[in-house]
């Protein structure tokens, strides 16, 4: 039944559009926002781990910092997920998705990783989160016909991000 | 390469969980929020169409109402998309998704429809948006082992929504 | 003096409207959003209590989860209060309120309980919060001429919610 | 039945508190935020009326300004309602409310006026909105034992606001 | 090069406006929002310090309150910074700034203090934050030709705030 | 008096920090978010101008699109201003600012341009807005010892942005 619904929708509304266009209100699509947000998640985990090891004397100072790191981790994990969903849901059209049959699964995996990095303070998961989003960024730039390179981000944590060649 | 990444992630982090659980901070999952939001989009289009036909004398009164309907349409289309993304991305796990191989495509279609209802004031698209979300709600309740029924929503527009049998 | 003000306002602006209508930008009114939010508050308290009893070894893991539960409890207590205020303030008109002389006091009590469930982690208060909102939902459906039933919510905590018969 | 519920709640949870205290996360209560927001609503209506009379040549310039005024009117009407709800719902306790038996009705009226000023561009309603909130501010300061005065706000529209004598 | 850019902008766009006007969507400018927010930061620090000294027996009750105080401190420190930025960036024009050559440095200092009060629970810094904003409020009222006075705020912490003479 | 205050603050709190560090909750600083937001403002103006020239037949379709472009322009102008304020207020310390004596004036100019692009649909002002933020980005990367280049953004409007050499 879902198959019939999808067919009907395609015929009626012509979603198979060749060129990507701006969907607004999203404006301009760029995965960098998601990549920086995921990087921030790793950064927060590093700060949390470091704070736990080197606890300040005053308990209030400790809890104040820890609570803030956790809140920022929450915010940026959600931001990373949202930005990816917007590019995948609004920008990527059927035609492009046919070239990337694993795209849906990749995006779903990004969402799952995004949940996990919120529920835990596990750095390895967070690094995987960054890498999955890099994969997605790679696909994005390819659909726009822009070549990419990998380079260390110019701030901690200095993980590699996929950047467009401009 | 994406395939290898997905394999590696599955082995390391064990995402194949049999039972759904609350991911928090999302708390409790229920598609009704998304269904009501999509219904609101149809309602706004009806109000916009009606206002255009029966323009108040004062132009300021006309534009004040039109602008507000458009803003609410925006807000609820986005809300509907977000709520679906949360259930799909956080709640639906690999095991459940294997039973619904069209789930990813359905969710992507919901996102596309959600963009279209923002860009236009086309009622037919908005009704399709509600229906696609009903389909998604159907899947959701099935994964929880809860039977469903269809019934008219108790407010305008009185379209059918999928409801759990409680 | 307040009495004179209220009289004057009634005469000038005709708030005694017989039928409820959509106030937009609120669109469609349904207390379910508030009921689910209040249920989430109880859920968070249960998770907090459980986490305290079964503390993970790693302190960072413990504080990460506890902080997130508290944040979600905050967010949903406020959401529940807001949704009730919107229905009470925008939808319920003088004519309907005359049939329910305790409505104002009930809504004020909901606000007070909503504050208390934020300030504490007391499950009993949170259950009373859910019940007070059920009472409000009951009133709401009656004003729309829709009969209701009580049924266990299909997710934890499986407390009874008031549902419309559709 | 509601009466019994209210009685039971009062006995169990001791809401009859003599002194007001900070409920946090709201922190410090002050009606000025609501009063300024309501004043802004009047200001926007004045700007909308003025713009309609003196339409710029370029239609885009006209619609750009009109849309922005409407959006600000929306935002501040909601803000005014929210701030009043917070003081009424969180700060005013049963004991204080017994001295002001019309308080609930006044707050409900403020909500109704707040809806009306969003749905229309009627200055008279907006001025009544400011005045109703002034009444509420009066009650607030009385409960704190602070005398008040009326003075013109130091910005357009220069309506009278109730200010505490400090 | 920056100097040339600034010159060019001034000539083209005429920013040297003698009178302040409402920039909307900000509507009406008043530093009181920022002052109350900064006061709230001090209040939260006092509550955090007090809670640390008088820890409730139940650890969950302790952490629930501490986390909430920290979250409110965050929110209000940011709010105070934002409100000052809006008045400085939108309302203060070049002409007024020429009379106050230290204004930029003062605003930057407010931002720095606002960051520090988030990162710490140091009351002295928070009191300096309130005072710096008082200085800014003083400038604001002077540009509007309104005289000011200092008076204790009518809520805890009862620090002095700069108030306009109305 | 302000001068004495600033001196006292400097001595007490040691703001003259040599190295930049992450202030959290902002995490990682990167002006790209502000640059993309400013670019979006130009894009919206282009879409608004284009829509005005090529009005769709249906008035509702016209107003629906125009209102959405205006709303996005609003949102991104504010976002661009906010991101710049965060880098300037949180990241740039006194020591760095001494090397850039025009930084405060440049940031204030960015705020003024940001207001103007909201109040108008003037493309030239919006292009100046992008350029002023490019100037700011230039300063930012210099303080981090990272060289930059200019390149056309890979999406419309294809204006030049300052990019770090990675």
């Amino acid at each position: 039944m879902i198959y019939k619904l999808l067919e009907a929708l395609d015929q009626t509304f012509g979603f198979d559009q060749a060129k990507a266009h701006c969907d607004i209100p999203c404006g301009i699509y760029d995965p960098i926002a998601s990549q920086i947000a995921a990087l921030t998640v790793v950064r927060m985990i590093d700060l949390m781990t470091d704070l736990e090891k080197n606890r300040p004397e005053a308990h209030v100072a400790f809890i104040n910092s820890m609570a803030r790191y956790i809140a920022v981790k929450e915010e940026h994990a959600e931001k990373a997920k949202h930005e990816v969903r917007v590019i995948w849901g609004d920008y990527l059209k059927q035609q492009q998705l046919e070239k990337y049959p694993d795209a849906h699964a990749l995006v779903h995996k990004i969402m799952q990783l995004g949940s996990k990095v919120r529920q835990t303070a596990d750095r390895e998961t967070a690094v995987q989160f960054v890498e999955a989003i890099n994969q997605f960024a790679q696909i994005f730039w390819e659909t726009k016909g822009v070549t990419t390179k990998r380079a260390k981000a110019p701030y901690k944590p200095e993980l590699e991000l996929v950047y467009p060649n401009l």
Side-chain angles (χ1 to χ4, degrees), chain A:
Chain A
M1 205 249 143
I2 294 173
Y3 181 68
K4 283 191 194 287
L5 172 69
L6 297 178
E7 265 199 329
L9 286 170
D10 281 342
Q11 284 164 6
T12 319
F13 299 111
F15 285 127
D16 306 322
Q17 292 177 40
K19 66 188 196 298
H21 67 279
C22 171
D23 251 18
I24 92 115
C26 306
I28 288 166
Y29 301 102
D30 193 320
I32 191 67
S34 182
Q35 292 166 286
I36 289 175
L39 215 62
T40 304
V41 168
V42 178
R43 181 78 182 123
M44 288 305 116
I45 288 173
D46 285 345
L47 288 173
M48 287 168 68
T49 306
D50 197 61
L51 182 71
E52 185 68 23
K53 276 194 223 154
N54 305 302
R55 285 210 196 192
E57 257 192 61
H59 181 251
V60 167
F62 169 75
I63 193 80
N64 182 71
S65 295
M66 189 60 89
R68 299 183 66 235
Y69 297 157
I70 292 165
V72 173
K73 177 160 75 70
E74 272 302 284
E75 181 194 343
H76 286 264
E78 172 55 32
K79 181 176 181 174
K81 290 167 80 171
H82 176 74
E83 295 283 333
V84 165
R85 178 227 103 189
V86 164
I87 294 178
W88 169 74
D90 295 4
Y91 167 80
L92 289 176
K93 303 286 186 284
Q94 193 120 332
Q95 199 189 25
Q96 289 136 336
L97 289 162
E98 275 158 18
K99 291 193 201 130
Y100 299 97
D102 289 322
H104 290 331
L106 174 61
V107 172
H108 187 259
K109 187 72 49 163
I110 287 168
M111 299 301 145
Q112 296 269 295
L113 285 167
S115 295
K116 214 167 171 78
V117 299
R118 289 168 83 165
Q119 299 160 18
T120 69
D122 181 57
R123 194 186 205 265
E124 221 184 304
T125 315
V127 170
Q128 292 278 12
F129 186 47
V130 171
E131 188 46 37
I133 294 172
N134 270 334
Q135 295 280 350
F136 181 75
Q138 182 83 43
I139 290 174
F140 172 83
W141 289 115
E142 278 180 32
T143 66
K144 292 183 72 79
V146 177
T147 59
T148 56
K149 69 180 185 193
R150 281 178 171 255
K152 280 191 172 182
Y155 22 65
K156 294 186 190 177
E158 290 170 6
L159 298 175
E160 273 193 358
L161 292 185
V162 164
Y163 290 100
N165 286 315
L166 301 170

